[in-house]
Amino acid sequence: QVQLVESGGGLVQAGGSLKLSCAASGRTFTNWRMGWFRQAPGKEREFVAAINWNGSNSAYVHSVKGRFTTSTDNAKNTVYLQMNSLKPEDTAVYYCAATREQVVVAKMMDYWGQGTQVTVSS
């Protein structure tokens, strides 16, 4: 079965950093586009970042630009989300996802990870 497994979440103070990993297995994601999303309690799932499997064409929601960086390591079949200067409003469950299309929106993603909790205290 295709699996995306997130790890690296946890509790961090405001201003701190976390690096999330998304380990992919079960298929090859060459030519796919990977996305990061987050969902806080009572809120819609929100796009955070996207990147092609080959590491090109990254994109970010405005609120995380300059703070978050997504990258890939194809040899390890892993996608990363480096999160710096974390704010309490970044608190959410973070999900990685994959689509065979170039448009990265939640309703169009083909595969989802289970999510990892990120909590930023003030």
Side-chain angles (χ1 to χ4, degrees):
Q1 248 194 20
V2 174
Q3 278 193 293
L4 301 175
V5 180
E6 300 97 335
S7 61
L11 175 64
V12 65
Q13 293 186 38
S17 298
L18 285 173
K19 188 173 185 178
L20 306 184
S21 298
C22 174
S25 62
R27 69 157 298 135
T28 299
F29 287 96
T30 305
N31 299 321
W32 286 52
R33 192 154 171 83
M34 312 300 295
W36 290 95
F37 297 81
R38 64 188 181 187
Q39 189 165 25
K43 296 186 178 180
E44 295 284 329
R45 190 164 296 189
E46 175 191 27
F47 167 79
V48 176
I51 189 168
N52 288 350
W53 183 255
N54 67 6
S56 68
N57 294 331
S58 59
Y60 304 89
V61 68
H62 179 74
S63 61
V64 309
K65 286 183 178 179
R67 300 190 297 120
F68 291 11
T69 304
T70 188
S71 61
T72 66
D73 186 338
N74 293 161
K76 295 182 178 180
N77 245 30
T78 300
V79 184
Y80 302 98
L81 184 66
Q82 177 68 51
M83 304 184 294
N84 299 324
S85 301
L86 283 161
K87 304 174 180 179
E89 50 263 45
D90 295 318
T91 295
V93 177
Y94 283 70
Y95 300 88
C96 66
T99 178
R100 62 178 70 239
E101 301 181 3
Q102 290 299 303
V103 178
V104 179
V105 294
K107 66 180 181 180
M108 297 296 182
M109 306 309 289
D110 296 287
Y111 298 106
W112 290 91
Q114 84 290 346
T116 186
Q117 177 71 48
V118 172
T119 302
V120 184
S121 65
S122 59

Short mmCIF file of all heavy atoms in Angstrom, two decimals, residues 56-86:
data_model
loop_
_atom_site.label_atom_id
_atom_site.label_comp_id
_atom_site.label_asym_id
_atom_site.label_seq_id
_atom_site.Cartn_x
_atom_site.Cartn_y
_atom_site.Cartn_z
N SER A 56 12.07 20.91 -7.32
CA SER A 56 11.86 22.17 -8.01
C SER A 56 10.51 22.78 -7.66
O SER A 56 9.63 22.12 -7.10
CB SER A 56 11.99 21.99 -9.52
OG SER A 56 10.92 21.19 -10.02
N ASN A 57 10.35 24.06 -8.01
CA ASN A 57 9.06 24.74 -7.98
C ASN A 57 8.37 24.69 -6.63
O ASN A 57 7.22 24.25 -6.50
CB ASN A 57 8.15 24.18 -9.07
CG ASN A 57 8.64 24.48 -10.46
OD1 ASN A 57 9.31 25.48 -10.69
ND2 ASN A 57 8.31 23.61 -11.41
N SER A 58 9.05 25.15 -5.61
CA SER A 58 8.44 25.23 -4.29
C SER A 58 7.50 26.43 -4.21
O SER A 58 7.66 27.43 -4.91
CB SER A 58 9.50 25.31 -3.19
OG SER A 58 10.32 26.45 -3.37
N ALA A 59 6.50 26.31 -3.35
CA ALA A 59 5.52 27.37 -3.16
C ALA A 59 5.05 27.35 -1.71
O ALA A 59 5.05 26.30 -1.07
CB ALA A 59 4.34 27.19 -4.11
N TYR A 60 4.64 28.52 -1.21
CA TYR A 60 4.26 28.65 0.19
C TYR A 60 3.08 29.58 0.35
O TYR A 60 2.92 30.54 -0.41
CB TYR A 60 5.41 29.21 1.03
CG TYR A 60 6.68 28.40 0.93
CD1 TYR A 60 7.62 28.68 -0.07
CD2 TYR A 60 6.94 27.37 1.81
CE1 TYR A 60 8.78 27.94 -0.17
CE2 TYR A 60 8.10 26.62 1.71
CZ TYR A 60 9.02 26.91 0.72
OH TYR A 60 10.17 26.16 0.62
N VAL A 61 2.28 29.30 1.35
CA VAL A 61 1.27 30.26 1.73
C VAL A 61 1.98 31.48 2.33
O VAL A 61 3.05 31.36 2.94
CB VAL A 61 0.28 29.65 2.74
CG1 VAL A 61 0.94 29.36 4.07
CG2 VAL A 61 -0.95 30.53 2.92
N HIS A 62 1.41 32.66 2.12
CA HIS A 62 2.08 33.89 2.50
C HIS A 62 2.50 33.90 3.98
O HIS A 62 3.58 34.40 4.32
CB HIS A 62 1.18 35.09 2.21
CG HIS A 62 1.79 36.40 2.59
ND1 HIS A 62 2.80 36.98 1.86
CD2 HIS A 62 1.54 37.23 3.63
CE1 HIS A 62 3.15 38.11 2.43
NE2 HIS A 62 2.40 38.29 3.50
N SER A 63 1.66 33.35 4.84
CA SER A 63 1.91 33.43 6.27
C SER A 63 3.17 32.70 6.73
O SER A 63 3.64 32.94 7.85
CB SER A 63 0.69 32.91 7.05
OG SER A 63 0.44 31.56 6.74
N VAL A 64 3.71 31.81 5.91
CA VAL A 64 4.90 31.07 6.31
C VAL A 64 6.13 31.41 5.47
O VAL A 64 7.21 30.89 5.75
CB VAL A 64 4.68 29.54 6.28
CG1 VAL A 64 3.41 29.17 7.05
CG2 VAL A 64 4.62 29.01 4.86
N LYS A 65 5.98 32.27 4.49
CA LYS A 65 7.12 32.63 3.65
C LYS A 65 8.22 33.26 4.48
O LYS A 65 7.98 34.12 5.32
CB LYS A 65 6.69 33.59 2.54
CG LYS A 65 5.89 32.92 1.43
CD LYS A 65 5.56 33.90 0.32
CE LYS A 65 4.81 33.22 -0.80
NZ LYS A 65 4.45 34.16 -1.88
N GLY A 66 9.43 32.81 4.23
CA GLY A 66 10.57 33.30 4.98
C GLY A 66 10.81 32.56 6.27
O GLY A 66 11.85 32.75 6.90
N ARG A 67 9.86 31.73 6.68
CA ARG A 67 10.00 30.96 7.92
C ARG A 67 10.07 29.46 7.66
O ARG A 67 10.80 28.75 8.35
CB ARG A 67 8.84 31.25 8.87
CG ARG A 67 8.73 32.71 9.28
CD ARG A 67 7.71 32.89 10.40
NE ARG A 67 6.37 32.51 9.99
CZ ARG A 67 5.64 31.57 10.57
NH1 ARG A 67 6.12 30.89 11.62
NH2 ARG A 67 4.42 31.29 10.14
N PHE A 68 9.30 28.98 6.70
CA PHE A 68 9.24 27.55 6.39
C PHE A 68 9.94 27.28 5.08
O PHE A 68 9.88 28.09 4.14
CB PHE A 68 7.79 27.07 6.27
CG PHE A 68 7.00 27.05 7.55
CD1 PHE A 68 7.45 27.65 8.70
CD2 PHE A 68 5.75 26.42 7.56
CE1 PHE A 68 6.70 27.63 9.87
CE2 PHE A 68 5.00 26.39 8.71
CZ PHE A 68 5.46 26.99 9.86
N THR A 69 10.58 26.12 4.99
CA THR A 69 11.21 25.67 3.76
C THR A 69 10.91 24.20 3.55
O THR A 69 11.13 23.39 4.46
CB THR A 69 12.73 25.88 3.79
OG1 THR A 69 13.04 27.25 4.05
CG2 THR A 69 13.35 25.47 2.45
N THR A 70 10.41 23.85 2.38
CA THR A 70 10.19 22.45 2.07
C THR A 70 11.27 21.97 1.10
O THR A 70 11.76 22.75 0.27
CB THR A 70 8.78 22.21 1.51
OG1 THR A 70 8.55 20.79 1.39
CG2 THR A 70 8.59 22.87 0.16
N SER A 71 11.64 20.73 1.23
CA SER A 71 12.69 20.16 0.40
C SER A 71 12.44 18.67 0.24
O SER A 71 11.58 18.10 0.92
CB SER A 71 14.07 20.41 1.00
OG SER A 71 14.19 19.82 2.28
N THR A 72 13.18 18.05 -0.66
CA THR A 72 13.05 16.62 -0.88
C THR A 72 14.40 15.94 -0.86
O THR A 72 15.43 16.56 -1.13
CB THR A 72 12.37 16.31 -2.23
OG1 THR A 72 13.21 16.73 -3.31
CG2 THR A 72 11.03 17.02 -2.34
N ASP A 73 14.40 14.69 -0.51
CA ASP A 73 15.57 13.83 -0.64
C ASP A 73 15.07 12.57 -1.31
O ASP A 73 14.58 11.65 -0.66
CB ASP A 73 16.19 13.54 0.73
CG ASP A 73 17.49 12.78 0.62
OD1 ASP A 73 17.72 12.11 -0.41
OD2 ASP A 73 18.30 12.83 1.57
N ASN A 74 15.20 12.53 -2.63
CA ASN A 74 14.63 11.43 -3.38
C ASN A 74 15.28 10.09 -3.03
O ASN A 74 14.62 9.06 -3.05
CB ASN A 74 14.75 11.68 -4.88
CG ASN A 74 13.90 12.84 -5.37
OD1 ASN A 74 14.16 13.37 -6.44
ND2 ASN A 74 12.90 13.24 -4.60
N ALA A 75 16.57 10.12 -2.72
CA ALA A 75 17.26 8.89 -2.36
C ALA A 75 16.68 8.26 -1.11
O ALA A 75 16.70 7.04 -0.94
CB ALA A 75 18.75 9.15 -2.18
N LYS A 76 16.15 9.10 -0.22
CA LYS A 76 15.53 8.62 1.01
C LYS A 76 14.02 8.55 0.91
O LYS A 76 13.36 8.19 1.88
CB LYS A 76 15.92 9.51 2.18
CG LYS A 76 17.41 9.49 2.51
CD LYS A 76 17.71 10.37 3.71
CE LYS A 76 19.18 10.30 4.07
NZ LYS A 76 19.51 11.16 5.23
N ASN A 77 13.48 8.89 -0.26
CA ASN A 77 12.03 8.89 -0.47
C ASN A 77 11.32 9.72 0.59
O ASN A 77 10.27 9.33 1.12
CB ASN A 77 11.50 7.46 -0.46
CG ASN A 77 10.91 7.04 -1.79
OD1 ASN A 77 11.34 7.50 -2.85
ND2 ASN A 77 9.93 6.15 -1.75
N THR A 78 11.88 10.89 0.86
CA THR A 78 11.40 11.70 1.96
C THR A 78 11.26 13.16 1.55
O THR A 78 12.08 13.68 0.80
CB THR A 78 12.34 11.58 3.17
OG1 THR A 78 12.40 10.21 3.59
CG2 THR A 78 11.86 12.43 4.34
N VAL A 79 10.22 13.78 2.06
CA VAL A 79 9.99 15.22 1.91
C VAL A 79 10.09 15.85 3.29
O VAL A 79 9.65 15.25 4.28
CB VAL A 79 8.61 15.49 1.29
CG1 VAL A 79 8.41 16.98 1.06
CG2 VAL A 79 8.46 14.73 -0.02
N TYR A 80 10.63 17.05 3.34
CA TYR A 80 10.84 17.73 4.62
C TYR A 80 10.13 19.07 4.65
O TYR A 80 9.93 19.72 3.62
CB TYR A 80 12.33 17.97 4.86
CG TYR A 80 13.16 16.72 4.87
CD1 TYR A 80 13.87 16.34 3.73
CD2 TYR A 80 13.24 15.92 6.00
CE1 TYR A 80 14.64 15.19 3.73
CE2 TYR A 80 14.00 14.77 6.00
CZ TYR A 80 14.70 14.41 4.87
OH TYR A 80 15.46 13.27 4.88
N LEU A 81 9.79 19.48 5.84
CA LEU A 81 9.31 20.83 6.07
C LEU A 81 10.07 21.39 7.26
O LEU A 81 9.82 21.00 8.40
CB LEU A 81 7.80 20.86 6.33
CG LEU A 81 7.20 22.26 6.50
CD1 LEU A 81 7.28 23.04 5.19
CD2 LEU A 81 5.75 22.18 6.99
N GLN A 82 11.01 22.27 6.98
CA GLN A 82 11.75 22.96 8.02
C GLN A 82 10.95 24.18 8.45
O GLN A 82 10.66 25.05 7.63
CB GLN A 82 13.13 23.38 7.51
CG GLN A 82 13.95 24.17 8.52
CD GLN A 82 14.37 23.34 9.70
OE1 GLN A 82 14.92 22.26 9.54
NE2 GLN A 82 14.09 23.83 10.91
N MET A 83 10.62 24.25 9.72
CA MET A 83 9.80 25.33 10.25
C MET A 83 10.61 26.11 11.26
O MET A 83 10.99 25.58 12.30
CB MET A 83 8.53 24.77 10.89
CG MET A 83 7.70 23.90 9.95
SD MET A 83 6.14 23.36 10.70
CE MET A 83 6.78 22.31 12.01
N ASN A 84 10.88 27.35 10.95
CA ASN A 84 11.63 28.24 11.83
C ASN A 84 10.73 29.38 12.31
O ASN A 84 9.69 29.65 11.74
CB ASN A 84 12.84 28.81 11.11
CG ASN A 84 13.81 27.77 10.64
OD1 ASN A 84 14.02 26.75 11.31
ND2 ASN A 84 14.44 28.00 9.49
N SER A 85 11.18 30.06 13.35
CA SER A 85 10.45 31.20 13.89
C SER A 85 8.99 30.88 14.11
O SER A 85 8.09 31.64 13.73
CB SER A 85 10.61 32.41 12.96
OG SER A 85 11.96 32.75 12.79
N LEU A 86 8.75 29.76 14.73
CA LEU A 86 7.38 29.29 14.91
C LEU A 86 6.57 30.22 15.80
O LEU A 86 7.09 30.81 16.75
CB LEU A 86 7.38 27.88 15.48
CG LEU A 86 7.70 26.80 14.45
CD1 LEU A 86 8.13 25.51 15.13
CD2 LEU A 86 6.49 26.55 13.55
#
